[in-house]
Each structure stands twice: as structure tokens, then as C-alpha cells.
Amino acid sequence: MAFGVAARLALLFALATCAVAGVTSEYRRKLEATVDMPLDADVFRVPSGYNAPQQVHITLGDQTGTAMTVSWVTANEEGSSTVRYGRSAEKLEQAAEGRHARYDYFNYTSGFIHHCTLTGLSHATKYYYAMGFGHTVRTFSFTTPPLPAPDAPFKFGLIGDLGQTFDSNSTLAHYEANGGDAVLFLGDLSYADNYPLHDNRRWDSWARFVERSVAYQPWIWTAGNHELDFEPSLGETVPFKPFVHRYPTPYRAAGSTEPFWYSVKVASAHVIVLASYSAYGKYTPQWAWLQQELTKRVDRKVTPWLIVLMHSPWYNSNNYHYMEGETMRVQFERWLVDAKVDLVLAGHVHSYERARRFSNIEYNIVNGKATPAPNRDAPVYITIGDGGNIEGIANNFTAPQPAYSAFREASFGHATLEIKNRTHAYYAWHRNHDGAKAVADAVWFTNRYWMPTDDDHV
Ligand SMILES: *[C@@H]1O[C@H](CO)[C@@H](O)[C@H](O)[C@H]1NC(C)=O
Ligand SMILES: *[C@@H]1O[C@H](CO)[C@@H](O)[C@H](O)[C@H]1NC(C)=O
Ligand SMILES: *[C@@H]1O[C@H](CO)[C@@H](O)[C@H](O)[C@H]1NC(C)=O
Ligand SMILES: *[C@@H]1O[C@H](CO)[C@@H](O)[C@H](O)[C@H]1NC(C)=O
Ligand SMILES: [Fe+2]
């Protein structure tokens, strides 16, 4: 009897606070091992030709894409660090000179890692580029993003925790089929650190695997815990050593002092990348940078969409990595609500979850107000650490599903975010199990600055 009353009160409360219950998808992925592709798999093939450039990848070389940084590895000898580029594949009229470096990790020595920034590019323009001069030349192309403007459309791919399993390959193939213009990568790239001695050959194989996308469009990098490679037992005490040698970011252009937190302005989006594994407490460099960024450098009249990336999610109702993002949430959540951030994208948890617009910013240690509540100024939190890595799926959600959680499912996949104009963006999550084009979760988001309507009650 008492239980019945309590249950009915709970139901009334649930109805009062939130009109629609969240969905925990019943879809269950077939249980099978998530195994890395073998080193002799087709996707890891070394390109033919003496000292051929391999592991080619690009990222923005400045904040808006009038510069592009090209990176690659040569294995036999140093070779040339020059990139030639131009608007036609036949006439690469411009040249830029890069630099190269190698690093050691325990008993591994990397190849010659080249980085070369192409500058003076025009927006929304297709460029061809080539490197490997003197030995084996390879040619690629990319299109620069449009000039930042409030109604400039753009399609992002959202991928996290990719790794290099057969599922990772499926995720990448599905993303390619859906055709984004750039990827917002939510951290945890190669998972080389899952191997004895952090076998850095798996950093090389991963870069050869993703080359088919990232040599042709910029991926925006977030650092995850699998980028730390901090292993005192191997004498490796400099965090992020392989990552920083291989994956540059345009942090200086963003006024940052470390490659792990920075921002870019792509079309109508201002994208802020935060570092879950660098200090963020009060007065730290990241804290000071983010405060300036949100209060001084974001201009919603030019870039209406404010998107924040991080690796460890603040709102996660999976028992896997439960509450790991809590200290950063406590530090920064109010700032993000005050700034009316549209979306917060995270990885780390190997499943999928989309939240409603909720915040938890009233608590002050004595008032007891520590329950997340609906808030139209709050971002939507999306956890998309479901790229398909070797650690497998995180198939253990908390029960009951919290009110803030709109949809969650333990499957591998990727998402796309199609910004249409200053008010509307179409978001879609694709599980790998379905055909590439099938959508398993979709929302039309409205912009928090230009059209802050209730877009999350779905
Ligand atoms: C590094 O050490 C491991 C373990 O001793 C060994 O199996 C491996 O072959 C070594 N690698 C190199 C490049 O020497
Ligand atoms: C990876 O996916 C690509 C594209 O679908 C395919 O051509 C390739 O054979 C796959 N490789 C492996 C090892 O599954
Ligand atoms: C799910 O997580 C809870 C909390 O950590 C744990 O007690 C439980 O054993 C887990 N269940 C499974 C099936 O792993
Ligand atoms: C913005 O895009 C949405 C979705 O495509 C469309 O319905 C709306 O009319 C557009 N707004 C303007 C001002 O064009
Ligand atoms: Fe992670």
C-alpha cells in the first residue's frame, strides 16, 4: 500500500518535471569479440614506393582554415618536408617547407614525422597537395571550410574512441558513406597503449587506417586518456608524447598555450576543445583561457553555433566511467550555461547517450539543490565514445534512466551534425549494425542564441 502511494507520487513527480520519459534502446548488439585488425590487414598497408609518405593527415593550421597543417611519416630516411599545393592537380604552383622530428618510446623509434603548414589559402576552395619529393610523390586534396558567417552551412562527422578493430573500420566506412566535411574527434585514437610496451607500431597502423578520410578533410583532435602514454615503469614520464609528436593542433592561433585546449571557427560554428587530462582548476592556464574564450572571443553574430568538445563526459548514465567527468563539470558547467552553449560532445564511454537540456548549477554545498533540472539555456550533452575500439561496448546503464537522459544505447556508431543556418541544425546518430544511411536517433537542434526553443523534448 505505502509502496503504491510512493510509486504514484514518483510517477506524478516524473510527469511534472519531464513530459516524456527517456529511452533506453532495447537494441542489443550481437555479442562478439571486438578485436583489432591484424597488422597485415588491407587498411594498414604501407604505400608502395621507396620512402613513400604514409599516415597522411590534415588538420586546421589556423582558426578558420586559411591554413592547413599536413602531417605524414617517412620510414626509410628523412626525405623532403616540402609540400607543393595549388588549385589544380596538374599545377601545384605553391610550396611550403615543413619540419620533421622523431621520438623514442621505450625501445621503439618512430619514423620521420613531418609537419608542414600551408598558408594563404582561400575559403571554400579545393586544393591539391603533394609530398615525398625526391623519392615517391603522393597527391591528395581537400576543400577549405567556408568563411565564418552566421548562415554558412557545414556538415560535421562526430567520432570518438575509434581504435582499430573491425568495428572501427565499419564506423569509418559508415561515416564516409554519410559524407561530412570535417570530423570532430572526441579523443582516444589508436589504443596502442593496450599493447605491451604501448606498442607504438599501433600508432603507425592507426594513422595508415584513417588516412583514407583524414588526408582529404580536417579532423579536429581532442586528447583522451589513451593519448596519455604515461608509463613510469617504462621510463616514459612525459604525458602525451606520441600524440603531440604526431597530431598538431592550431592552439597558438587560438591564444592557447598548450595543444590540448584550443578553438576553431568553422563556417557558422565556434568549436572549443577542452582537455579532460590537463589541469582545469581555478587559476590554471586552461581555466584562464576558457574564461577569456567564452567572455571575449565568442561572437554568436558571426558564429552562432557554440560547440564544446571534451573526452570525459559530464552527464553519463552508464556505469562505465561513471562520474569521472564530475570535477570538470563542477568547475565549468555554469560558464557553459551562461554562454548558452549549444552542444557538448564527449567520448570515453563506449556507448551512445543523448541528454535533454538540463543543468545542475544550483548546488552551493549547504542548500542541498543537487538535482539536474531542465534549463533552456543549457547545452545538450552527447556521449559518442562508440567508435568501436578494442575495449568493447559499455553495456551497463544505471537504472532507472535519469530524467536528463533522452536516449541511450550500447552500440557502436558515429553521428553527423548538419548545420543549415543560424537557427537550425540536423543531428543524426547512425549505429553500425544498420545500413550506413539508417538513422537510429535524430533531433533538429535550434540555436541557443538565435532561436532558443524547446528542441529537446523528443
Ligand atoms: C622491444 O622489447 C620487446 C620486449 O623485450 C621485444 O619483444 C621487441 O622486439 C623490442 N622491439 C624492438 C624494436 O627492439
Ligand atoms: C575495411 O573497410 C573497407 C571499406 O569498407 C574495406 O575495403 C576493407 O576491406 C576493410 N578491411 C578490413 C580489414 O575489414
Ligand atoms: C553494472 O554496474 C554496477 C555498478 O558498477 C555493478 O554493480 C554491476 O555488477 C554491473 N553489471 C554487470 C552485468 O557488469
Ligand atoms: C533554416 O533552416 C531550416 C531547416 O532547413 C529552415 O526550415 C529555415 O527556414 C531556415 N531559416 C531561414 C531563415 O532560411
Ligand atoms: Fe577514454
Side-chain angles (χ1 to χ4, degrees):
M1 188 61 194
F3 172 77
V5 171
R8 251 171 284 148
L9 278 176
L11 180 65
L12 275 177
F13 181 74
L15 287 172
T17 51
C18 182
V20 191
V23 173
T24 301
S25 171
E26 288 305 312
Y27 178 79
R28 285 290 172 272
R29 176 176 176 271
K30 187 155 73 35
L31 282 178
E32 60 200 8
T34 308
V35 293
D36 270 359
M37 295 180 282
L39 281 176
D40 61 1
D42 54 0
V43 293
F44 297 146
R45 211 172 281 144
V46 174
S48 58
Y50 178 75
N51 211 32
Q54 55 169 283
Q55 309 178 37
V56 178
H57 54 93
I58 62 171
T59 197
L60 296 191
D62 66 3
Q63 271 203 299
T64 71
T66 55
M68 201 68 84
T69 300
V70 179
S71 307
W72 72 96
V73 172
T74 49
N76 304 94
E77 58 174 289
E78 183 182 317
S80 158
S81 290
T82 302
V83 173
R84 292 189 197 285
Y85 59 107
R87 296 185 188 207
S88 133
E90 288 71 43
K91 269 202 301 185
L92 303 179
E93 287 168 321
Q94 285 163 285
E97 195 53 38
R99 63 194 159 79
H100 79 274
R102 312 182 81 171
Y103 74 90
D104 296 314
Y105 192 93
F106 190 62
N107 67 351
Y108 165 95
T109 301
S110 74
F112 301 88
I113 305 173
H114 304 256
H115 303 291
C116 179
T117 299
L118 320 185
T119 55
L121 308 176
S122 300
H123 285 289
T125 303
K126 183 166 185 180
Y127 287 92
Y128 296 85
Y129 69 99
M131 80 294 280
F133 299 101
H135 297 128
T136 302
V137 176
R138 295 181 71 203
T139 304
F140 303 86
S141 65
F142 60 77
T143 300
T144 51
L147 178 73
D151 294 300
F154 200 81
K155 184 171 179 178
F156 288 109
L158 316 181
I159 301 177
D161 304 67
L162 185 57
Q164 45 192 304
T165 71
F166 292 92
D167 298 281
S168 319
N169 196 33
S170 167
T171 300
L172 185 59
H174 282 71
Y175 167 61
E176 288 177 287
N178 282 312
D181 306 315
V183 167
L184 302 179
F185 192 86
L186 288 323
D188 285 358
L189 287 62
S190 75
Y191 288 76
D193 61 349
N194 267 41
Y195 286 84
L197 309 177
H198 293 222
D199 190 349
N200 275 229
R201 290 175 307 167
R202 283 284 174 178
W203 272 106
D204 293 310
S205 61
W206 191 80
R208 290 195 293 269
F209 156 50
V210 297
E211 183 191 88
R212 69 186 201 234
S213 173
V214 69
Y216 298 93
Q217 57 171 254
W219 286 29
I220 307 303
W221 303 109
T222 309
N225 53 309
H226 288 279
E227 277 66 74
L228 277 161
D229 285 307
F230 173 74
E231 200 57 74
S233 66
L234 300 177
E236 292 299 342
T237 54
V238 179
F240 302 108
K241 191 204 251 181
F243 177 71
V244 296
H245 278 87
R246 293 167 183 273
Y247 293 94
T249 66
Y251 69 97
R252 285 196 189 88
S256 165
T257 48
E258 295 279 344
F260 316 111
W261 64 87
Y262 60 100
S263 66
V264 292
K265 296 184 243 184
V266 176
S268 48
H270 188 122
V271 179
I272 294 177
V273 180
L274 294 184
S276 298
Y277 305 99
S278 302
Y280 46 76
K282 194 164 185 179
Y283 311 126
T284 60
Q286 182 171 200
W287 178 93
W289 177 85
L290 182 61
Q291 186 183 53
Q292 291 298 303
E293 183 76 1
L294 290 173
T295 58
K296 303 264 164 43
R297 292 189 285 261
V298 170
D299 184 353
R300 304 296 275 277
K301 293 186 174 66
V302 180
T303 48
W305 295 91
L306 183 52
I307 300 170
V308 175
L309 319 184
M310 63 187 62
H311 185 61
S312 189
W314 296 354
Y315 284 88
N316 160 41
S317 69
N318 195 304
N319 283 309
Y320 190 64
H321 296 313
Y322 190 61
M323 287 185 78
E324 283 185 18
E326 188 66 1
T327 51
M328 195 194 226
R329 181 189 70 76
V330 169
Q331 191 66 55
F332 289 143
E333 185 178 14
R334 181 175 291 280
W335 286 3
L336 266 52
V337 173
D338 286 349
K340 297 182 167 49
V341 167
D342 291 292
L343 291 171
V344 174
L345 309 173
H348 200 37
V349 180
H350 303 158
S351 66
Y352 172 68
E353 181 165 18
R354 174 174 55 81
R356 297 197 172 89
R357 297 194 184 278
F358 267 63
S359 68
N360 189 3
I361 51 177
E362 298 305 321
Y363 183 57
N364 69 359
I365 214 162
V366 291
N367 65 9
K369 295 183 184 172
T371 305
N375 184 339
R376 215 167 70 172
D377 288 341
V380 163
Y381 293 87
I382 292 172
T383 303
I384 189 154
D386 56 351
N389 67 72
I390 193 170
E391 293 177 345
I393 205 85
N395 195 357
N396 184 354
F397 288 111
T398 60
Q401 184 168 9
Y404 67 74
S405 174
F407 185 95
R408 52 186 194 172
E409 179 176 317
S411 293
F412 293 136
H414 79 282
T416 50
L417 179 68
E418 280 178 71
I419 298 176
K420 304 290 188 188
N421 53 36
R422 73 186 69 191
T423 55
H424 285 77
Y426 179 68
Y427 165 85
W429 177 67
H430 306 261
R431 70 164 77 87
N432 286 354
H433 177 78
D434 305 328
K437 304 280 182 194
V439 170
D441 180 42
V443 192
W444 276 99
F445 289 126
T446 53
N447 187 270
R448 286 309 90 187
Y449 180 84
W450 288 96
M451 191 187 268
T453 56
D454 289 327
D455 58 356
D456 62 335
H457 293 290
V458 282

